[in-house]
Amino acid sequence: MTKVHNFSAGPGILPAEVLKEASEACINFENLNLSLLEISHRSKNYEKVMDEARSLVKELFEVGDAHEVLYLGGGASLQFAMVPYNLLRENGTAAYVNTGVWASKAIKEAKIIGTTKVIASSEDKKFTYVPKGYEIPADADYLHITSNNTIYGTQMKSFPKSPIPLVCDMSSDIFSRKVNAKDFDLIYAGAQKNMGPAGSTMVMVKKEALGKTGRNMLSMLDYQVHIKGGSMYNTPPVFPIYVTMLTLKWLKKNGGISWIENLNQQKADAIYNEIDRNSMFHGTTAIEDRSFMNVCFLMNKPELEPEFDKFWKEANISGIRGHRDVGGYRASLYNALPLESVNVLVEVMKAFEKKFA
Ligand SMILES: *Cc1c(COP(=O)(O)O)cnc(C)c1O
């Protein structure tokens, strides 16, 4: 198989050894002579998978028993609704920071559930920066933020000191860097960006934050029901959870968060340095808010895009066309992407400049 340098924004790259082990489990899981896909989720073998997938999150986040970890269906998008449904009191207010398309979608759902205030936004500059220095209303039920804005390539380098429960959509930078997870009442992430394949969403929630809304809760949308069921109230997405577990194990085995943070920094430095040096390209966001996960850049002469496309395709690079809202290019540097792939892209950008500048 030709080695492809996969910069896809999501679903994103997974470690090759994880894909290999997952493919074997599809045929013969743990020498049962059965596929992982055809055994009960309540079997001993699968319960072990679920336990490990949950405990690895706590271990990597360094949290204790105050938090619970769930794997749910419905994508991060369902969490846009479940968060206010579980945390926003009937007469309460929720506070949101609007940093892009995903945050806007979360706000849209919260407004249907209850009173929702947008306390800061970067919409005035097409979401090319992260708002800072805003006032957090002390009487709101929670503050919702998005740690990394996948489409625009901006990232919160530090988190607001919040006097109220802090909720974060970490879909596209979870486990890419050290965060003080204990400071958050709820963290959620669709697995398909940086944790595993599509089909399951990780939710880590502080137990004491729940059960306060006064709402008569639908079972499937109630975190407490899922906690009580050990994340198996109904049949969970067994395969995505298994692959997520393998990916987290891979991360831990290689050195955990400090290892990956260092590697991600090297990858981001390599490509941003080239964007800033190369006369053919420019970055799209405020420099201090540049994402280490999704690197957006534009061509100074957009008419040369078809020529550049030939260059990177020739080098077996895949998935760097920008999101339709931003255009140009977006290189996603998720955990499983090796530094070598970034170096290949940098060489392609250099060669392109040599020919066309
Ligand atoms: C991709 C993404 C989502 C949406 O995830 P789904 O699992 O497709 O619902 C939400 N938030 C962020 C930050 C994302 O990158």
PDB file of all heavy atoms in Angstrom, residues 313-350:
ATOM      1  N   LYS A 313      -0.964  16.443  -4.592  1.00  0.00           N
ATOM      2  CA  LYS A 313      -1.495  15.110  -4.942  1.00  0.00           C
ATOM      3  C   LYS A 313      -0.361  14.186  -5.387  1.00  0.00           C
ATOM      4  O   LYS A 313      -0.349  13.000  -5.059  1.00  0.00           O
ATOM      5  CB  LYS A 313      -2.561  15.236  -6.025  1.00  0.00           C
ATOM      6  CG  LYS A 313      -3.887  15.700  -5.451  1.00  0.00           C
ATOM      7  CD  LYS A 313      -4.958  15.926  -6.506  1.00  0.00           C
ATOM      8  CE  LYS A 313      -6.162  16.604  -5.867  1.00  0.00           C
ATOM      9  NZ  LYS A 313      -7.037  17.237  -6.867  1.00  0.00           N
ATOM     10  N   GLU A 314       0.572  14.761  -6.114  1.00  0.00           N
ATOM     11  CA  GLU A 314       1.755  14.017  -6.577  1.00  0.00           C
ATOM     12  C   GLU A 314       2.542  13.439  -5.391  1.00  0.00           C
ATOM     13  O   GLU A 314       3.144  12.382  -5.480  1.00  0.00           O
ATOM     14  CB  GLU A 314       2.626  15.003  -7.369  1.00  0.00           C
ATOM     15  CG  GLU A 314       3.827  14.427  -8.047  1.00  0.00           C
ATOM     16  CD  GLU A 314       3.466  13.656  -9.314  1.00  0.00           C
ATOM     17  OE1 GLU A 314       2.297  13.731  -9.787  1.00  0.00           O
ATOM     18  OE2 GLU A 314       4.351  12.970  -9.819  1.00  0.00           O
ATOM     19  N   ALA A 315       2.545  14.147  -4.252  1.00  0.00           N
ATOM     20  CA  ALA A 315       3.300  13.728  -3.067  1.00  0.00           C
ATOM     21  C   ALA A 315       2.478  12.815  -2.146  1.00  0.00           C
ATOM     22  O   ALA A 315       2.865  12.582  -0.998  1.00  0.00           O
ATOM     23  CB  ALA A 315       3.777  14.956  -2.298  1.00  0.00           C
ATOM     24  N   ASN A 316       1.348  12.319  -2.652  1.00  0.00           N
ATOM     25  CA  ASN A 316       0.461  11.431  -1.863  1.00  0.00           C
ATOM     26  C   ASN A 316      -0.100  12.096  -0.602  1.00  0.00           C
ATOM     27  O   ASN A 316      -0.273  11.457   0.429  1.00  0.00           O
ATOM     28  CB  ASN A 316       1.170  10.128  -1.472  1.00  0.00           C
ATOM     29  CG  ASN A 316       1.439   9.260  -2.683  1.00  0.00           C
ATOM     30  OD1 ASN A 316       0.586   9.109  -3.548  1.00  0.00           O
ATOM     31  ND2 ASN A 316       2.645   8.724  -2.754  1.00  0.00           N
ATOM     32  N   ILE A 317      -0.352  13.391  -0.722  1.00  0.00           N
ATOM     33  CA  ILE A 317      -1.021  14.112   0.367  1.00  0.00           C
ATOM     34  C   ILE A 317      -2.523  14.075   0.113  1.00  0.00           C
ATOM     35  O   ILE A 317      -2.966  14.160  -1.033  1.00  0.00           O
ATOM     36  CB  ILE A 317      -0.489  15.561   0.441  1.00  0.00           C
ATOM     37  CG1 ILE A 317       0.915  15.556   1.061  1.00  0.00           C
ATOM     38  CG2 ILE A 317      -1.439  16.476   1.216  1.00  0.00           C
ATOM     39  CD1 ILE A 317       1.636  16.865   0.986  1.00  0.00           C
ATOM     40  N   SER A 318      -3.289  13.922   1.184  1.00  0.00           N
ATOM     41  CA  SER A 318      -4.745  13.817   1.053  1.00  0.00           C
ATOM     42  C   SER A 318      -5.436  14.708   2.085  1.00  0.00           C
ATOM     43  O   SER A 318      -4.936  14.895   3.192  1.00  0.00           O
ATOM     44  CB  SER A 318      -5.149  12.349   1.261  1.00  0.00           C
ATOM     45  OG  SER A 318      -6.543  12.242   1.408  1.00  0.00           O
ATOM     46  N   GLY A 319      -6.578  15.264   1.718  1.00  0.00           N
ATOM     47  CA  GLY A 319      -7.457  15.921   2.698  1.00  0.00           C
ATOM     48  C   GLY A 319      -7.059  17.313   3.130  1.00  0.00           C
ATOM     49  O   GLY A 319      -7.390  17.720   4.237  1.00  0.00           O
ATOM     50  N   ILE A 320      -6.361  18.091   2.261  1.00  0.00           N
ATOM     51  CA  ILE A 320      -5.989  19.441   2.718  1.00  0.00           C
ATOM     52  C   ILE A 320      -6.794  20.566   2.062  1.00  0.00           C
ATOM     53  O   ILE A 320      -6.498  21.747   2.287  1.00  0.00           O
ATOM     54  CB  ILE A 320      -4.468  19.752   2.569  1.00  0.00           C
ATOM     55  CG1 ILE A 320      -4.044  19.794   1.115  1.00  0.00           C
ATOM     56  CG2 ILE A 320      -3.616  18.802   3.379  1.00  0.00           C
ATOM     57  CD1 ILE A 320      -2.720  20.544   0.937  1.00  0.00           C
ATOM     58  N   ARG A 321      -7.819  20.238   1.292  1.00  0.00           N
ATOM     59  CA  ARG A 321      -8.680  21.324   0.781  1.00  0.00           C
ATOM     60  C   ARG A 321      -9.407  21.958   1.964  1.00  0.00           C
ATOM     61  O   ARG A 321      -9.868  21.265   2.865  1.00  0.00           O
ATOM     62  CB  ARG A 321      -9.722  20.783  -0.211  1.00  0.00           C
ATOM     63  CG  ARG A 321      -9.194  20.312  -1.567  1.00  0.00           C
ATOM     64  CD  ARG A 321      -8.565  21.350  -2.462  1.00  0.00           C
ATOM     65  NE  ARG A 321      -9.222  22.646  -2.444  1.00  0.00           N
ATOM     66  CZ  ARG A 321      -8.994  23.608  -3.335  1.00  0.00           C
ATOM     67  NH1 ARG A 321      -8.137  23.419  -4.317  1.00  0.00           N
ATOM     68  NH2 ARG A 321      -9.604  24.758  -3.251  1.00  0.00           N
ATOM     69  N   GLY A 322      -9.514  23.274   1.969  1.00  0.00           N
ATOM     70  CA  GLY A 322     -10.149  23.986   3.084  1.00  0.00           C
ATOM     71  C   GLY A 322     -11.650  23.742   3.143  1.00  0.00           C
ATOM     72  O   GLY A 322     -12.256  23.288   2.169  1.00  0.00           O
ATOM     73  N   HIS A 323     -12.229  24.043   4.282  1.00  0.00           N
ATOM     74  CA  HIS A 323     -13.689  23.989   4.434  1.00  0.00           C
ATOM     75  C   HIS A 323     -14.315  25.027   3.506  1.00  0.00           C
ATOM     76  O   HIS A 323     -13.749  26.096   3.298  1.00  0.00           O
ATOM     77  CB  HIS A 323     -14.045  24.281   5.897  1.00  0.00           C
ATOM     78  CG  HIS A 323     -15.489  24.091   6.209  1.00  0.00           C
ATOM     79  ND1 HIS A 323     -16.436  25.058   5.959  1.00  0.00           N
ATOM     80  CD2 HIS A 323     -16.161  23.044   6.749  1.00  0.00           C
ATOM     81  CE1 HIS A 323     -17.634  24.614   6.330  1.00  0.00           C
ATOM     82  NE2 HIS A 323     -17.488  23.395   6.820  1.00  0.00           N
ATOM     83  N   ARG A 324     -15.498  24.738   2.988  1.00  0.00           N
ATOM     84  CA  ARG A 324     -16.103  25.650   2.002  1.00  0.00           C
ATOM     85  C   ARG A 324     -16.339  27.067   2.550  1.00  0.00           C
ATOM     86  O   ARG A 324     -16.369  28.031   1.781  1.00  0.00           O
ATOM     87  CB  ARG A 324     -17.401  25.060   1.439  1.00  0.00           C
ATOM     88  CG  ARG A 324     -18.450  24.773   2.497  1.00  0.00           C
ATOM     89  CD  ARG A 324     -19.650  24.028   1.931  1.00  0.00           C
ATOM     90  NE  ARG A 324     -20.634  23.805   2.978  1.00  0.00           N
ATOM     91  CZ  ARG A 324     -20.580  22.822   3.879  1.00  0.00           C
ATOM     92  NH1 ARG A 324     -19.577  21.962   3.835  1.00  0.00           N
ATOM     93  NH2 ARG A 324     -21.504  22.700   4.809  1.00  0.00           N
ATOM     94  N   ASP A 325     -16.442  27.216   3.875  1.00  0.00           N
ATOM     95  CA  ASP A 325     -16.646  28.556   4.455  1.00  0.00           C
ATOM     96  C   ASP A 325     -15.378  29.405   4.451  1.00  0.00           C
ATOM     97  O   ASP A 325     -15.449  30.630   4.557  1.00  0.00           O
ATOM     98  CB  ASP A 325     -17.115  28.455   5.923  1.00  0.00           C
ATOM     99  CG  ASP A 325     -18.555  27.997   6.014  1.00  0.00           C
ATOM    100  OD1 ASP A 325     -19.187  27.789   4.946  1.00  0.00           O
ATOM    101  OD2 ASP A 325     -19.054  27.831   7.144  1.00  0.00           O
ATOM    102  N   VAL A 326     -14.215  28.775   4.391  1.00  0.00           N
ATOM    103  CA  VAL A 326     -12.949  29.504   4.469  1.00  0.00           C
ATOM    104  C   VAL A 326     -12.208  29.448   3.139  1.00  0.00           C
ATOM    105  O   VAL A 326     -11.542  30.401   2.737  1.00  0.00           O
ATOM    106  CB  VAL A 326     -12.048  28.941   5.606  1.00  0.00           C
ATOM    107  CG1 VAL A 326     -10.721  29.682   5.675  1.00  0.00           C
ATOM    108  CG2 VAL A 326     -12.761  29.014   6.954  1.00  0.00           C
ATOM    109  N   GLY A 327     -12.341  28.356   2.414  1.00  0.00           N
ATOM    110  CA  GLY A 327     -11.638  28.168   1.142  1.00  0.00           C
ATOM    111  C   GLY A 327     -10.175  27.830   1.366  1.00  0.00           C
ATOM    112  O   GLY A 327      -9.749  27.563   2.490  1.00  0.00           O
ATOM    113  N   GLY A 328      -9.397  27.862   0.310  1.00  0.00           N
ATOM    114  CA  GLY A 328      -7.966  27.601   0.419  1.00  0.00           C
ATOM    115  C   GLY A 328      -7.684  26.210   0.958  1.00  0.00           C
ATOM    116  O   GLY A 328      -8.270  25.234   0.510  1.00  0.00           O
ATOM    117  N   TYR A 329      -6.808  26.170   1.977  1.00  0.00           N
ATOM    118  CA  TYR A 329      -6.321  24.883   2.465  1.00  0.00           C
ATOM    119  C   TYR A 329      -6.440  24.767   3.972  1.00  0.00           C
ATOM    120  O   TYR A 329      -6.393  25.764   4.694  1.00  0.00           O
ATOM    121  CB  TYR A 329      -4.857  24.696   2.019  1.00  0.00           C
ATOM    122  CG  TYR A 329      -4.786  24.713   0.515  1.00  0.00           C
ATOM    123  CD1 TYR A 329      -4.532  25.893  -0.174  1.00  0.00           C
ATOM    124  CD2 TYR A 329      -5.068  23.563  -0.219  1.00  0.00           C
ATOM    125  CE1 TYR A 329      -4.551  25.936  -1.563  1.00  0.00           C
ATOM    126  CE2 TYR A 329      -5.081  23.590  -1.604  1.00  0.00           C
ATOM    127  CZ  TYR A 329      -4.818  24.766  -2.268  1.00  0.00           C
ATOM    128  OH  TYR A 329      -4.858  24.793  -3.632  1.00  0.00           O
ATOM    129  N   ARG A 330      -6.597  23.536   4.422  1.00  0.00           N
ATOM    130  CA  ARG A 330      -6.619  23.258   5.865  1.00  0.00           C
ATOM    131  C   ARG A 330      -5.897  21.942   6.086  1.00  0.00           C
ATOM    132  O   ARG A 330      -6.331  20.896   5.602  1.00  0.00           O
ATOM    133  CB  ARG A 330      -8.057  23.156   6.372  1.00  0.00           C
ATOM    134  CG  ARG A 330      -8.141  22.628   7.809  1.00  0.00           C
ATOM    135  CD  ARG A 330      -9.547  22.679   8.364  1.00  0.00           C
ATOM    136  NE  ARG A 330     -10.518  21.992   7.517  1.00  0.00           N
ATOM    137  CZ  ARG A 330     -11.780  21.743   7.864  1.00  0.00           C
ATOM    138  NH1 ARG A 330     -12.224  22.149   9.036  1.00  0.00           N
ATOM    139  NH2 ARG A 330     -12.597  21.114   7.046  1.00  0.00           N
ATOM    140  N   ALA A 331      -4.798  22.007   6.821  1.00  0.00           N
ATOM    141  CA  ALA A 331      -4.058  20.793   7.158  1.00  0.00           C
ATOM    142  C   ALA A 331      -4.389  20.448   8.606  1.00  0.00           C
ATOM    143  O   ALA A 331      -4.082  21.213   9.518  1.00  0.00           O
ATOM    144  CB  ALA A 331      -2.556  21.035   7.003  1.00  0.00           C
ATOM    145  N   SER A 332      -5.031  19.313   8.818  1.00  0.00           N
ATOM    146  CA  SER A 332      -5.356  18.904  10.184  1.00  0.00           C
ATOM    147  C   SER A 332      -4.257  18.001  10.711  1.00  0.00           C
ATOM    148  O   SER A 332      -3.858  17.042  10.059  1.00  0.00           O
ATOM    149  CB  SER A 332      -6.717  18.212  10.208  1.00  0.00           C
ATOM    150  OG  SER A 332      -7.710  19.144   9.816  1.00  0.00           O
ATOM    151  N   LEU A 333      -3.768  18.360  11.888  1.00  0.00           N
ATOM    152  CA  LEU A 333      -2.561  17.699  12.444  1.00  0.00           C
ATOM    153  C   LEU A 333      -2.927  16.853  13.659  1.00  0.00           C
ATOM    154  O   LEU A 333      -2.283  16.940  14.696  1.00  0.00           O
ATOM    155  CB  LEU A 333      -1.526  18.756  12.863  1.00  0.00           C
ATOM    156  CG  LEU A 333      -1.242  19.921  11.905  1.00  0.00           C
ATOM    157  CD1 LEU A 333      -0.189  20.852  12.520  1.00  0.00           C
ATOM    158  CD2 LEU A 333      -0.768  19.427  10.542  1.00  0.00           C
ATOM    159  N   TYR A 334      -3.963  16.053  13.546  1.00  0.00           N
ATOM    160  CA  TYR A 334      -4.425  15.278  14.695  1.00  0.00           C
ATOM    161  C   TYR A 334      -3.324  14.353  15.218  1.00  0.00           C
ATOM    162  O   TYR A 334      -2.337  14.082  14.526  1.00  0.00           O
ATOM    163  CB  TYR A 334      -5.684  14.483  14.320  1.00  0.00           C
ATOM    164  CG  TYR A 334      -6.851  15.388  13.972  1.00  0.00           C
ATOM    165  CD1 TYR A 334      -7.596  15.185  12.813  1.00  0.00           C
ATOM    166  CD2 TYR A 334      -7.202  16.459  14.802  1.00  0.00           C
ATOM    167  CE1 TYR A 334      -8.668  16.007  12.489  1.00  0.00           C
ATOM    168  CE2 TYR A 334      -8.268  17.289  14.478  1.00  0.00           C
ATOM    169  CZ  TYR A 334      -9.005  17.058  13.323  1.00  0.00           C
ATOM    170  OH  TYR A 334     -10.046  17.891  13.009  1.00  0.00           O
ATOM    171  N   ASN A 335      -3.558  13.859  16.439  1.00  0.00           N
ATOM    172  CA  ASN A 335      -2.521  13.104  17.162  1.00  0.00           C
ATOM    173  C   ASN A 335      -1.827  12.028  16.332  1.00  0.00           C
ATOM    174  O   ASN A 335      -0.620  11.842  16.441  1.00  0.00           O
ATOM    175  CB  ASN A 335      -3.134  12.430  18.395  1.00  0.00           C
ATOM    176  CG  ASN A 335      -3.437  13.424  19.503  1.00  0.00           C
ATOM    177  OD1 ASN A 335      -3.076  14.601  19.406  1.00  0.00           O
ATOM    178  ND2 ASN A 335      -4.106  12.960  20.554  1.00  0.00           N
ATOM    179  N   ALA A 336      -2.593  11.297  15.522  1.00  0.00           N
ATOM    180  CA  ALA A 336      -2.015  10.144  14.822  1.00  0.00           C
ATOM    181  C   ALA A 336      -1.200  10.547  13.599  1.00  0.00           C
ATOM    182  O   ALA A 336      -0.563   9.700  12.971  1.00  0.00           O
ATOM    183  CB  ALA A 336      -3.122   9.162  14.421  1.00  0.00           C
ATOM    184  N   LEU A 337      -1.226  11.841  13.236  1.00  0.00           N
ATOM    185  CA  LEU A 337      -0.442  12.276  12.073  1.00  0.00           C
ATOM    186  C   LEU A 337       1.028  12.395  12.450  1.00  0.00           C
ATOM    187  O   LEU A 337       1.376  13.138  13.366  1.00  0.00           O
ATOM    188  CB  LEU A 337      -0.949  13.632  11.555  1.00  0.00           C
ATOM    189  CG  LEU A 337      -0.250  14.106  10.277  1.00  0.00           C
ATOM    190  CD1 LEU A 337      -0.910  13.503   9.047  1.00  0.00           C
ATOM    191  CD2 LEU A 337      -0.205  15.619  10.185  1.00  0.00           C
ATOM    192  N   PRO A 338       1.917  11.674  11.759  1.00  0.00           N
ATOM    193  CA  PRO A 338       3.339  11.760  12.106  1.00  0.00           C
ATOM    194  C   PRO A 338       3.968  13.069  11.618  1.00  0.00           C
ATOM    195  O   PRO A 338       3.505  13.665  10.644  1.00  0.00           O
ATOM    196  CB  PRO A 338       3.961  10.559  11.395  1.00  0.00           C
ATOM    197  CG  PRO A 338       3.012  10.185  10.315  1.00  0.00           C
ATOM    198  CD  PRO A 338       1.652  10.696  10.704  1.00  0.00           C
ATOM    199  N   LEU A 339       5.030  13.482  12.291  1.00  0.00           N
ATOM    200  CA  LEU A 339       5.787  14.681  11.898  1.00  0.00           C
ATOM    201  C   LEU A 339       6.256  14.563  10.446  1.00  0.00           C
ATOM    202  O   LEU A 339       6.294  15.536   9.705  1.00  0.00           O
ATOM    203  CB  LEU A 339       6.983  14.854  12.851  1.00  0.00           C
ATOM    204  CG  LEU A 339       7.909  16.049  12.612  1.00  0.00           C
ATOM    205  CD1 LEU A 339       7.158  17.370  12.675  1.00  0.00           C
ATOM    206  CD2 LEU A 339       9.060  16.043  13.629  1.00  0.00           C
ATOM    207  N   GLU A 340       6.586  13.341  10.053  1.00  0.00           N
ATOM    208  CA  GLU A 340       7.068  13.090   8.693  1.00  0.00           C
ATOM    209  C   GLU A 340       6.074  13.610   7.643  1.00  0.00           C
ATOM    210  O   GLU A 340       6.467  14.189   6.627  1.00  0.00           O
ATOM    211  CB  GLU A 340       7.268  11.566   8.545  1.00  0.00           C
ATOM    212  CG  GLU A 340       7.728  11.120   7.183  1.00  0.00           C
ATOM    213  CD  GLU A 340       7.217   9.703   6.836  1.00  0.00           C
ATOM    214  OE1 GLU A 340       6.831   8.951   7.758  1.00  0.00           O
ATOM    215  OE2 GLU A 340       7.190   9.391   5.631  1.00  0.00           O
ATOM    216  N   SER A 341       4.775  13.430   7.900  1.00  0.00           N
ATOM    217  CA  SER A 341       3.772  13.897   6.935  1.00  0.00           C
ATOM    218  C   SER A 341       3.790  15.422   6.822  1.00  0.00           C
ATOM    219  O   SER A 341       3.635  15.977   5.734  1.00  0.00           O
ATOM    220  CB  SER A 341       2.369  13.419   7.354  1.00  0.00           C
ATOM    221  OG  SER A 341       2.260  12.022   7.187  1.00  0.00           O
ATOM    222  N   VAL A 342       3.978  16.091   7.946  1.00  0.00           N
ATOM    223  CA  VAL A 342       4.056  17.561   7.925  1.00  0.00           C
ATOM    224  C   VAL A 342       5.294  17.991   7.133  1.00  0.00           C
ATOM    225  O   VAL A 342       5.240  18.921   6.327  1.00  0.00           O
ATOM    226  CB  VAL A 342       4.095  18.136   9.356  1.00  0.00           C
ATOM    227  CG1 VAL A 342       4.231  19.650   9.332  1.00  0.00           C
ATOM    228  CG2 VAL A 342       2.843  17.721  10.126  1.00  0.00           C
ATOM    229  N   ASN A 343       6.394  17.277   7.350  1.00  0.00           N
ATOM    230  CA  ASN A 343       7.619  17.617   6.618  1.00  0.00           C
ATOM    231  C   ASN A 343       7.433  17.460   5.110  1.00  0.00           C
ATOM    232  O   ASN A 343       7.958  18.252   4.329  1.00  0.00           O
ATOM    233  CB  ASN A 343       8.792  16.756   7.112  1.00  0.00           C
ATOM    234  CG  ASN A 343       9.211  17.138   8.529  1.00  0.00           C
ATOM    235  OD1 ASN A 343       8.938  18.255   8.982  1.00  0.00           O
ATOM    236  ND2 ASN A 343       9.846  16.210   9.240  1.00  0.00           N
ATOM    237  N   VAL A 344       6.681  16.446   4.707  1.00  0.00           N
ATOM    238  CA  VAL A 344       6.408  16.246   3.279  1.00  0.00           C
ATOM    239  C   VAL A 344       5.617  17.441   2.733  1.00  0.00           C
ATOM    240  O   VAL A 344       5.950  17.993   1.674  1.00  0.00           O
ATOM    241  CB  VAL A 344       5.641  14.921   3.047  1.00  0.00           C
ATOM    242  CG1 VAL A 344       5.085  14.846   1.624  1.00  0.00           C
ATOM    243  CG2 VAL A 344       6.556  13.723   3.324  1.00  0.00           C
ATOM    244  N   LEU A 345       4.612  17.885   3.484  1.00  0.00           N
ATOM    245  CA  LEU A 345       3.807  19.035   3.042  1.00  0.00           C
ATOM    246  C   LEU A 345       4.672  20.300   2.950  1.00  0.00           C
ATOM    247  O   LEU A 345       4.566  21.067   1.983  1.00  0.00           O
ATOM    248  CB  LEU A 345       2.620  19.242   4.000  1.00  0.00           C
ATOM    249  CG  LEU A 345       1.747  20.477   3.749  1.00  0.00           C
ATOM    250  CD1 LEU A 345       1.198  20.504   2.318  1.00  0.00           C
ATOM    251  CD2 LEU A 345       0.587  20.526   4.752  1.00  0.00           C
ATOM    252  N   VAL A 346       5.543  20.488   3.930  1.00  0.00           N
ATOM    253  CA  VAL A 346       6.424  21.663   3.921  1.00  0.00           C
ATOM    254  C   VAL A 346       7.335  21.631   2.683  1.00  0.00           C
ATOM    255  O   VAL A 346       7.521  22.656   2.004  1.00  0.00           O
ATOM    256  CB  VAL A 346       7.243  21.731   5.231  1.00  0.00           C
ATOM    257  CG1 VAL A 346       8.393  22.726   5.118  1.00  0.00           C
ATOM    258  CG2 VAL A 346       6.334  22.100   6.409  1.00  0.00           C
ATOM    259  N   GLU A 347       7.865  20.464   2.364  1.00  0.00           N
ATOM    260  CA  GLU A 347       8.725  20.335   1.177  1.00  0.00           C
ATOM    261  C   GLU A 347       7.951  20.658  -0.095  1.00  0.00           C
ATOM    262  O   GLU A 347       8.470  21.299  -1.021  1.00  0.00           O
ATOM    263  CB  GLU A 347       9.330  18.916   1.093  1.00  0.00           C
ATOM    264  CG  GLU A 347      10.439  18.640   2.106  1.00  0.00           C
ATOM    265  CD  GLU A 347      11.505  19.734   2.146  1.00  0.00           C
ATOM    266  OE1 GLU A 347      11.983  20.141   1.060  1.00  0.00           O
ATOM    267  OE2 GLU A 347      11.853  20.206   3.250  1.00  0.00           O
ATOM    268  N   VAL A 348       6.691  20.206  -0.157  1.00  0.00           N
ATOM    269  CA  VAL A 348       5.843  20.481  -1.319  1.00  0.00           C
ATOM    270  C   VAL A 348       5.619  21.994  -1.464  1.00  0.00           C
ATOM    271  O   VAL A 348       5.696  22.554  -2.554  1.00  0.00           O
ATOM    272  CB  VAL A 348       4.489  19.732  -1.183  1.00  0.00           C
ATOM    273  CG1 VAL A 348       3.450  20.289  -2.146  1.00  0.00           C
ATOM    274  CG2 VAL A 348       4.695  18.242  -1.423  1.00  0.00           C
ATOM    275  N   MET A 349       5.400  22.677  -0.338  1.00  0.00           N
ATOM    276  CA  MET A 349       5.177  24.126  -0.379  1.00  0.00           C
ATOM    277  C   MET A 349       6.439  24.850  -0.846  1.00  0.00           C
ATOM    278  O   MET A 349       6.368  25.814  -1.614  1.00  0.00           O
ATOM    279  CB  MET A 349       4.744  24.622   1.017  1.00  0.00           C
ATOM    280  CG  MET A 349       3.347  24.124   1.409  1.00  0.00           C
ATOM    281  SD  MET A 349       2.973  24.312   3.179  1.00  0.00           S
ATOM    282  CE  MET A 349       2.558  26.058   3.242  1.00  0.00           C
ATOM    283  N   LYS A 350       7.585  24.350  -0.409  1.00  0.00           N
ATOM    284  CA  LYS A 350       8.863  24.949  -0.840  1.00  0.00           C
ATOM    285  C   LYS A 350       9.089  24.757  -2.338  1.00  0.00           C
ATOM    286  O   LYS A 350       9.481  25.686  -3.045  1.00  0.00           O
ATOM    287  CB  LYS A 350      10.025  24.310  -0.063  1.00  0.00           C
ATOM    288  CG  LYS A 350      10.137  24.813   1.359  1.00  0.00           C
ATOM    289  CD  LYS A 350      11.389  24.261   2.041  1.00  0.00           C
ATOM    290  CE  LYS A 350      11.540  24.955   3.392  1.00  0.00           C
ATOM    291  NZ  LYS A 350      12.192  24.080   4.378  1.00  0.00           N
TER     292      LYS A 350
END
